[in-house]
Amino acid sequence: MKPHFRGRPALLLLMLLLVLKLPPAAVAGPAVDDDDLFEFDFDPVAFAPKPFSWGGYLELKGEHLRLNSDGALYLLRHYRQPRARLNRLTPAMQLQGRYRRGNLVVQGKANAAASWDEATSTDRADLLEGYLSFTPSPRRSLDLGKKTYNWGTGYAFNPVGFIQRPKDPDNPEESREGYVTGGLELTRSTTGALKTATLNLVALPVTGEINRDFGAADHLNLAARLYLLYRNTDLNLLGYTGDSRPDRFGVAAARNLRPNFAIHGELAHIPRQNFQTLQADGSVLRHRAAATSYLLGLRYLTARQLTIITEYYHNGEGYRRRELGRFYDLIHDGHQQYQSNGGTAELNQAAGLAPRYDRPQAGRNYLYTRLSWKEPADILYFTPALTLITNLDDGSASLSPEALYTGFTNWETRLRLTLLTGGSGREYGERANQYRLELRLRRFF
């Protein structure tokens, strides 16, 4: 099939022209010259970044998993080799570097890990980022290569993250793999109420070799974000169009109400999203419908250094409780069939649907809450935390207390226990694990 790139190379050429010459401002208010933005009363050369910098970490993680022998997802994964527990060891390394020469910057980040447990062993090596950035002035830049974008204001979820991989709500601050893109950024600053305006234009190709997991191949997709800093409020208008995924658009905002209290929100709408829904008779209905996702959240820091983050997340692409229940029933029925006559037809059907039903937060409505207390009772370098993710439709939940210690230079130690609650037919009650105990050591360099 011939790639559907017709007409879009012209847009790429336009992006290149824009980075070389910024068009007249579309922002109200008097413009500020670059020289006015950067007036120093000290020698900036002494603080100039080094041409080359690098760093990373070595990690060793041990996990003990108590498996949920009654859970549907346990039965789907382990019906041939039942087991009660798994012990897993995972060493990993992450390396990142940055080289600057004039207006050009090359930077990259790579992660490699291996994993062993009683059931299997795996290894992987991923280039998370690797791109060239050309910045002829602080107002405009052009990025080419594999880059991770962080669009949106949410902490654990980002419905408007149209060209980025989803966050892991259990580890939302961990590095994620980017996509190969060409991106243009134009920035305009003023002294008016609208202090900053930044326009991002991104081209994302999908072929048989590049960005294969993004969507349908042989298409060039385009995404845009307009960021506005109006008084004390961050505003983002976002859009995506292309043939690899359905078109979508959204808005995100954040505002500091007080120095220690901020609110944020996102909304994304997909006019024609593709759905695959298991029906009561066992058939699969494929159809298109509109999907709207949104979140509302806040972050609050108390005088005792307790940080509270909470987010309500509505997943318009998720399944309702009865729809998830049909998937779990299919697995339980398939397991009974396998035990009675060795048949695997229903389990194979469930395995085919698992990429959509067995994904994190496959349901509709969630409440995320994280409490993190820095150095309680004057215990230096010690930070306990508690993370709770609740499926509001069925009441099941994931509860993760943890303790973080950074008292040794360049070392980080984290102990975490994750408990899953909920009975039969409920999302977290049908997961493969009852609990997971994890000890992670990191040595930064």
Side-chain angles (χ1 to χ4, degrees):
M1 177 182 295
K2 186 177 180 180
H4 296 176
F5 292 172
R6 184 177 61 185
R8 287 171 180 160
L11 293 177
L12 296 179
L13 179 59
L14 177 61
M15 292 168 61
L16 182 60
L17 293 175
L18 286 172
V19 77
L20 295 175
K21 181 62 178 176
L22 187 69
V27 180
V32 178
D33 292 337
D34 293 347
D35 293 340
D36 296 336
L37 287 173
F38 300 95
E39 294 182 355
F40 303 101
D41 57 358
F42 57 87
D43 182 10
V45 177
F47 296 88
K50 298 179 180 178
F52 178 70
S53 61
W54 68 284
Y57 63 78
L58 293 171
E59 176 182 291
L60 183 63
K61 182 169 67 177
E63 297 170 282
H64 173 75
L65 296 89
R66 176 69 180 181
L67 301 181
N68 177 17
S69 59
D70 296 325
L73 299 180
Y74 164 86
L75 298 175
L76 184 61
R77 297 175 189 174
H78 301 286
Y79 67 93
R80 293 186 186 277
Q81 295 182 316
R83 62 184 71 246
R85 59 186 63 84
L86 281 175
N87 295 288
R88 183 175 299 149
L89 183 65
T90 307
M93 181 178 72
Q94 183 161 302
L95 188 64
Q96 61 192 56
R98 187 171 188 267
Y99 176 74
R100 171 185 291 275
R101 185 178 179 84
N103 295 329
L104 295 176
V105 175
V106 178
Q107 55 188 4
K109 183 184 297 181
N111 185 283
S115 179
W116 301 278
D117 59 36
E118 293 90 337
T120 185
S121 62
T122 61
D123 59 79
R124 60 170 178 78
D126 299 316
L127 178 65
L128 305 182
E129 289 187 301
Y131 63 94
L132 172 69
S133 181
F134 174 53
T135 308
S137 83
R139 292 180 177 179
R140 50 191 183 271
S141 64
L142 177 66
D143 298 324
L144 295 174
K146 193 171 190 179
K147 182 178 180 180
T148 301
Y149 291 88
N150 293 299
W151 290 359
T153 56
Y155 178 78
F157 311 101
N158 288 120
V160 301
F162 298 150
I163 55 170
Q164 61 206 46
R165 299 174 199 275
K167 291 178 179 175
D168 174 4
D170 290 323
N171 299 286
E173 297 178 351
E174 291 295 298
S175 299
R176 289 169 289 158
E177 184 179 0
Y179 290 107
V180 176
T181 60
L184 170 66
E185 181 173 295
L186 304 172
T187 299
R188 189 72 172 173
S189 299
T190 76
T191 57
L194 181 56
K195 300 177 181 177
T196 303
T198 300
L199 176 65
N200 295 96
L201 300 173
V202 180
L204 190 153
V206 179
T207 71
E209 293 77 29
I210 298 175
N211 301 329
R212 288 181 299 177
D213 60 336
F214 184 82
D218 299 325
H219 300 293
L220 180 61
N221 309 283
L222 300 173
R225 180 188 74 153
L226 177 61
Y227 165 77
L228 305 172
L229 175 57
Y230 181 77
R231 297 187 186 279
N232 192 30
T233 302
D234 297 311
L235 296 172
N236 297 269
L237 304 175
L238 309 102
Y240 161 89
T241 182
D243 295 321
S244 296
R245 293 180 178 179
D247 294 349
R248 57 200 67 193
F249 55 88
V251 60
R255 180 179 175 85
N256 290 324
L257 300 180
R258 293 180 181 177
N260 63 336
F261 183 39
I263 58 175
H264 58 270
E266 298 182 20
L267 185 147
H269 182 70
I270 306 175
R272 290 174 60 81
Q273 177 61 296
N274 300 313
F275 287 91
Q276 294 183 26
T277 307
L278 184 65
Q279 303 298 291
D281 61 0
S283 63
V284 177
L285 175 64
R286 293 176 173 79
H287 64 104
R288 287 186 172 183
T292 301
S293 301
Y294 54 87
L295 75 82
L296 297 171
L298 63 86
R299 181 192 295 250
Y300 181 68
L301 176 64
T302 71
R304 294 182 177 272
Q305 297 297 303
L306 174 65
T307 300
I308 303 171
I309 300 173
T310 185
E311 291 181 343
Y312 166 70
Y313 172 48
H314 173 77
N315 178 17
E317 302 174 65
Y319 292 104
R320 295 176 175 82
R321 180 178 177 179
R322 65 176 183 279
E323 294 171 336
L324 285 174
R326 288 177 193 151
F327 176 69
Y328 302 140
D329 290 342
L330 175 67
I331 297 174
H332 286 291
D333 293 344
H335 187 254
Q336 290 181 357
Q337 180 190 54
Y338 176 76
Q339 288 185 314
S340 63
N341 58 23
T344 60
E346 290 179 303
L347 289 173
N348 289 340
Q349 182 187 8
L353 295 170
R356 297 189 65 86
Y357 281 87
D358 184 15
R359 55 181 170 165
Q361 289 75 53
R364 282 266 171 160
N365 297 289
Y366 294 89
L367 183 64
Y368 175 93
T369 303
R370 178 174 173 81
L371 309 177
S372 177
W373 194 358
K374 184 179 180 181
E375 299 179 346
D378 295 328
I379 305 175
L380 298 179
Y381 310 112
F382 176 61
T383 304
L386 181 69
T387 302
L388 175 65
I389 306 174
T390 305
N391 182 324
L392 297 176
D393 297 319
D394 62 21
S396 64
S398 167
L399 177 64
S400 300
E402 67 178 59
L404 181 72
Y405 184 72
T406 58
F408 301 102
T409 303
N410 294 328
W411 283 91
E412 178 186 280
T413 303
R414 188 182 75 179
L415 179 64
R416 171 186 283 177
L417 175 66
T418 299
L419 301 166
L420 303 182
T421 66
S424 177
R426 301 169 189 264
E427 181 182 4
Y428 290 99
E430 297 284 6
R431 292 284 180 91
N433 307 324
Q434 285 185 344
Y435 68 81
R436 181 180 70 236
L437 180 63
E438 170 193 310
L439 176 62
R440 190 186 73 183
L441 303 176
R442 277 186 178 177
R443 171 67 166 85
F444 295 92
F445 54 87

